[in-house]
Amino acid sequence: WKAMECCSRCAAATPGAKTAATSQAPGPQTGDEPPTPVAPGAGTPQFSNPQAAAGTGLPAPRSAPVRRRPPQAKIAQRVIPHDLRPVALRDDLVELGDLFRAYQQRTEPDLKLLADLHKRKAQAFTTWADVSGITSLRLEARRAEQAATAARFQHQQRTGGIVDGDGPAVSRLLTAPTQGDHARSVLAYVANHSPLPGSEARLLTLMLTLRTAHKGTGNLVGQDLNALGLTDPEGLVEQLTGCGWLTLPGTAGDLLASRPENPTPITIPSLVPRDGEAGPFTFGKKMRPKLSGWAQKVISDKKLRKAKATADTRLLALTLATQTDAAGRLGPGGQGIALHALTAWVPIESGELQHLVDHLTTADWLAETALTDTQLTGQLTERVLPLTCPLPA
């Protein structure tokens, strides 16, 4: 029902209109004359609706029904079709989308879980591309594979574990691949800039370089030299100071007698940065003690000390630790190390190499070794895998 106030002419001209009541023209009134009583309902519209009659007004109009679409399942901003077949593929994509959204709500990252999700996504998108023929899905699958590899690699860097195949993770002393690269850079530098010939001089030069690599200065105590297995450490230090490669505040004997509470400051002038020039190494002061500690851990290995390994044996062990793959196999890709490269790092004759390899095998460092005229193949034992620095894959 609609009610409106209008004149009699408009009411007559309105189709279907019903007149509820007519108004009377007001006449002159005096102050003593009481107002004319109005009959109940007169001048007001009459409705058949009981709510309107009770004075509650017209009933509220019905709102038009809102049509709601069913929610669309999505993954990686892609809508998963409702009619996608097989059904198992669609269910897997829907579940993956939910898992990725749940991962985004995490307060702490879980890179291993993220790598697994990306791996599942790569497999699902490859199947989706096969059944639909959409090329972009196959490209998305490749990106997911790359993301899985990157997440897994980041997880290995954070945890210090590098997994070979399905084997257990190895917790390494040097956790990041860049740290292994820095260790190899120091070995290569010492091989090209050693001031004296021989394995003992090379090993001492390497350890002193690691102690002073950042600014060319560092501290040393007698125990650091005695742990290297040198035949005449005092005489070797005197040779290094005599040629100007090493600078000490006192004598070589004072250095050997120094203790941890009173270390001896040492300087290697060739490593001191010049004005406006960088040193030979790119790593910073926080990296230097990590590399030095790693090298000290290798050469002072318990079984090497028990076997009274010589300096060349320890230098070979240190070199081999930087020339393996993730599983501990020698050489790039586990294919072995060329002898000419090995004898450049360890200054010995190739005929002496078999003797050193036998010593390392006895000390449970090497296994399954094979030495030919051109290369050395073999495997570092599981015991020393934490000391290795795997080569880049």
Side-chain angles (χ1 to χ4, degrees):
W1 289 90
K2 292 183 179 180
M4 57 181 288
E5 182 180 359
C6 62
C7 64
S8 58
R9 291 183 178 180
C10 292
T14 302
K18 301 295 183 180
T19 302
T22 58
S23 59
Q24 301 293 331
Q29 296 183 357
T30 62
D32 298 334
E33 189 178 39
T36 303
V38 181
T44 61
Q46 303 296 314
F47 299 100
S48 60
N49 189 298
Q51 294 179 351
T56 58
L58 293 173
R62 294 181 181 179
S63 59
V66 179
R67 296 182 179 180
R68 299 184 182 274
R69 296 181 178 179
Q72 293 179 325
K74 289 186 176 183
I75 179 172
Q77 304 302 319
R78 292 178 179 271
V79 177
I80 305 172
H82 291 282
D83 57 350
L84 180 63
R85 295 294 182 272
V87 177
L89 172 61
R90 186 181 187 282
D91 293 343
D92 190 28
L93 290 170
V94 172
E95 181 183 1
L96 275 173
D98 295 338
L99 290 175
F100 271 107
R101 284 183 286 273
Y103 182 85
Q104 293 174 350
Q105 302 301 319
R106 292 176 61 95
T107 57
E108 295 293 335
D110 186 344
L111 295 176
K112 185 177 183 303
L113 173 60
L114 183 61
D116 294 338
L117 289 178
H118 279 298
K119 184 178 180 180
R120 282 186 58 187
K121 177 184 173 183
Q123 296 172 348
F125 269 64
T126 300
T127 306
W128 191 1
D130 292 339
V131 300
S132 64
I134 302 176
T135 305
S136 60
L137 294 175
R138 201 173 303 279
L139 297 177
E140 186 73 25
R142 292 176 185 174
R143 286 192 289 268
E145 291 177 356
Q146 296 172 353
T149 302
R152 190 174 295 107
F153 185 69
Q154 292 174 1
H155 173 69
Q156 293 166 1
Q157 284 186 313
R158 291 190 177 190
T159 59
I162 298 181
V163 180
D164 177 57
D166 297 328
V170 177
S171 180
R172 303 186 192 274
L173 197 60
L174 296 181
T175 57
T178 53
Q179 296 176 354
D181 294 337
H182 291 319
R184 282 182 284 272
S185 71
V186 177
L187 286 172
Y189 176 85
V190 171
N192 295 325
H193 297 84
S194 183
L196 299 174
S199 297
E200 292 197 349
R202 179 73 60 84
L203 181 60
L204 178 57
T205 301
L206 174 63
M207 299 308 294
L208 294 181
T209 299
L210 286 170
R211 283 298 181 94
T212 59
H214 185 56
K215 293 184 177 180
T217 59
N219 293 321
L220 208 65
V221 297
Q223 180 59 32
D224 297 330
L225 298 181
N226 294 327
L228 300 180
L230 305 175
T231 56
D232 184 14
E234 184 174 354
L236 197 53
V237 171
E238 290 176 349
Q239 292 183 55
L240 291 176
T241 56
C243 69
W245 187 83
L246 177 66
T247 301
L248 300 175
T251 65
D254 296 335
L255 173 60
L256 290 172
S258 60
R259 299 183 61 81
E261 59 270 16
N262 187 27
T264 300
I266 63 173
T267 301
I268 299 179
S270 59
L271 297 181
V272 177
R274 309 301 178 191
D275 294 337
E277 297 181 3
F281 306 114
T282 58
F283 52 83
K285 61 181 180 180
K286 292 184 178 180
M287 179 65 64
R288 188 211 60 76
K290 291 183 179 180
L291 299 178
S292 180
W294 160 78
Q296 194 72 35
K297 192 83 171 176
V298 173
I299 64 172
S300 59
D301 174 68
K302 180 178 179 180
K303 292 197 174 184
L304 291 180
R305 287 188 286 107
K306 186 177 180 180
K308 297 182 180 180
T310 58
D312 47 9
T313 303
R314 298 176 193 237
L315 183 59
L316 178 60
L318 190 64
T319 302
L320 295 181
T322 65
Q323 301 296 319
T324 71
D325 64 3
R329 296 184 294 266
L330 297 180
Q335 300 300 313
I337 307 175
L339 289 191
H340 66 85
L342 196 56
T343 53
W345 295 319
V346 184
I348 58 174
E349 297 293 334
S350 57
E352 303 174 15
L353 193 56
Q354 184 63 60
H355 180 65
L356 301 182
V357 169
D358 293 340
H359 277 190
L360 290 178
T361 303
T362 304
D364 195 24
W365 261 80
L366 282 174
E368 304 174 7
T369 57
L371 180 63
T372 67
D373 294 337
T374 58
Q375 69 174 6
L376 171 66
T377 58
Q379 165 83 47
L380 265 66
T381 61
E382 185 177 351
R383 182 182 72 86
V384 298
L385 281 183
L387 301 176
T388 58
C389 308
L391 292 164

